[in-house]
Amino acid sequence: ETSSVVVKIIQSSAHQKHPRGWNSTLGHSRKLRSYQVEHYWYQHYASRCQMAAVPQCVAQGRVEDALILVLEDLSTCGFPLRLQQLNGQQLKVCIRWLACFHATFMHQRPVGLWPIGTYWHLATRPEELKALDDKALQQAATAIDSLLNNCHYQSIVHGDAKIANFLFSKDSSQVSAVDFQYVGAGCGMKDLAYLIGSCMDENECEKKETVLLNYYFEQLQLALRPHAYEGQEIEREWRPMYRIAWADFHRFIKGWSPGHWKINSYSERITDEVVRQMNQ
């Protein structure tokens, strides 16, 4: 029994105007597919999240052209807080959630989900790539995408792990996540880079990069026990992918919204380094 639910209704015929002008058949199809993926996620995967809290699906179905999800209301299930800014400890709570989530689905094939997780990956964003003015990054985009997609160690990534999609307990010591429209296969660094970039300014991102990476891999090791050796192997492969994942998202944001606040000197510098690496 639950005292309150959240009902999500998706009408496939609804075609809303995009606030940034990205209105296309491709974009609409991508959005519709994302809702189908989310339906499948709650039906087949959500119940496996024992270490990383997610809302459970109470009911789901279809009425005419509408998909319907009835979910637990996290605000009545111990997660009433929505935060617009995070302190260091609250960010670590989210990072721990990511590590546990990735550990839960390590080596899992994304059956029914996106073959490649995240909403910005290259195959689904040809229009934004074409609009990108940074020609060096444009030319390196395929190589960057390939490195991430061909990691030996693949998990399932959330795909949209920003602050707005995390709800906290009253004391901020626990967190749950929502919005699984872009969940699919991938290197966990894509989630981590996106999360950190969503809640810290460029100075903090640079200053705390190593500390936060260390914390993520500590939590991943704990969540993967008793497979500690494998955790070390994953870290060897994934740690260098952090900056590559950062450059991958930077490629998207520069093509999608050239004036976006996330385009800063830290991101530009990291991306330039990655592009040079691709050229070598």
Side-chain angles (χ1 to χ4, degrees):
E1 294 183 0
T2 182
S3 61
S4 179
V5 296
V6 172
V7 180
K8 191 169 185 176
I9 302 173
I10 305 99
Q11 291 183 291
S12 59
S13 60
H15 198 151
Q16 296 181 340
K17 186 176 180 180
H18 194 281
R20 297 185 185 272
W22 291 101
N23 298 298
S24 68
T25 301
L26 177 62
H28 184 59
S29 298
R30 181 176 58 243
K31 181 66 72 173
L32 290 181
R33 172 62 182 150
S34 77
Y35 291 123
Q36 294 166 357
V37 165
E38 187 172 40
H39 258 240
Y40 198 90
W41 157 265
Y42 279 112
Q43 186 176 6
H44 297 280
Y45 290 85
S47 62
R48 296 167 59 186
C49 293
Q50 303 301 314
M51 296 189 294
V54 302
Q56 295 303 304
C57 186
V58 178
Q60 61 178 302
R62 182 184 291 272
V63 177
E64 296 179 351
D65 71 336
L67 290 172
I68 299 175
L69 279 173
V70 183
L71 304 172
E72 288 181 319
D73 181 356
L74 289 176
S75 64
T76 63
C77 297
F79 301 97
L81 297 184
R82 287 182 177 269
L83 303 177
Q84 295 183 337
Q85 293 182 322
L86 303 182
N87 61 34
Q89 189 55 43
Q90 290 162 344
L91 175 56
K92 283 188 172 182
V93 172
C94 293
I95 291 174
R96 184 175 70 227
W97 186 96
L98 286 179
C100 290
F101 184 82
H102 297 153
T104 297
F105 296 105
M106 193 66 67
H107 303 304
Q108 298 296 303
R109 294 179 61 244
V111 176
L113 308 178
W114 290 100
I116 301 172
T118 72
Y119 67 83
W120 63 86
H121 75 86
L122 192 61
T124 62
R125 296 293 180 169
E127 298 164 315
E128 291 82 354
L129 181 65
K130 185 177 180 180
L132 181 61
D133 287 332
D134 186 335
K135 298 307 177 184
L137 179 54
Q138 189 181 57
Q139 292 173 2
T142 299
I144 291 169
D145 181 68
S146 179
L147 274 175
L148 290 167
N149 295 341
N150 289 293
C151 283
H152 173 71
Y153 289 101
Q154 296 277 324
S155 181
I156 289 174
V157 296
H158 179 281
D160 194 6
K162 59 190 176 187
I163 301 175
N165 288 333
F166 286 97
L167 283 77
F168 290 80
S169 60
K170 287 183 178 180
D171 63 359
S172 298
S173 66
Q174 301 292 324
V175 73
S176 184
V178 296
D179 197 353
F180 290 91
Q181 290 174 224
Y182 294 97
V183 62
C187 168
M189 294 296 95
K190 296 203 288 187
D191 275 342
L192 184 63
Y194 182 65
L195 169 65
I196 292 173
S198 79
C199 62
M200 294 200 310
D201 64 34
E202 57 184 305
N203 294 325
E204 290 180 303
C205 287
E206 184 166 23
K207 181 180 178 181
K208 298 179 180 178
E209 177 183 319
T210 300
V211 171
L212 294 177
L213 272 168
N214 289 345
Y215 183 76
Y216 170 86
F217 286 113
E218 288 170 7
Q219 296 303 309
L220 186 68
Q221 290 271 12
L222 289 172
L224 284 169
R225 286 184 177 177
H227 307 290
Y229 174 75
E230 185 177 46
Q232 294 169 10
E233 291 297 306
I234 294 169
E235 181 175 357
R236 273 191 208 98
E237 182 182 52
W238 279 13
R239 188 180 278 266
M241 291 294 119
Y242 176 77
R243 290 194 163 197
I244 292 170
W246 195 289
D248 185 55
F249 180 74
H250 192 62
R251 174 266 311 160
F252 161 72
I253 206 75
K254 285 189 78 174
W256 181 70
S257 179
H260 201 281
W261 67 269
K262 289 185 180 181
I263 300 173
N264 54 52
S265 61
Y266 171 75
S267 294
E268 288 281 278
R269 188 167 60 255
I270 281 182
T271 302
D272 287 345
E273 291 173 1
V274 170
V275 169
R276 286 197 298 271
Q277 180 183 341
M278 297 301 103
N279 291 334
Q280 292 169 3

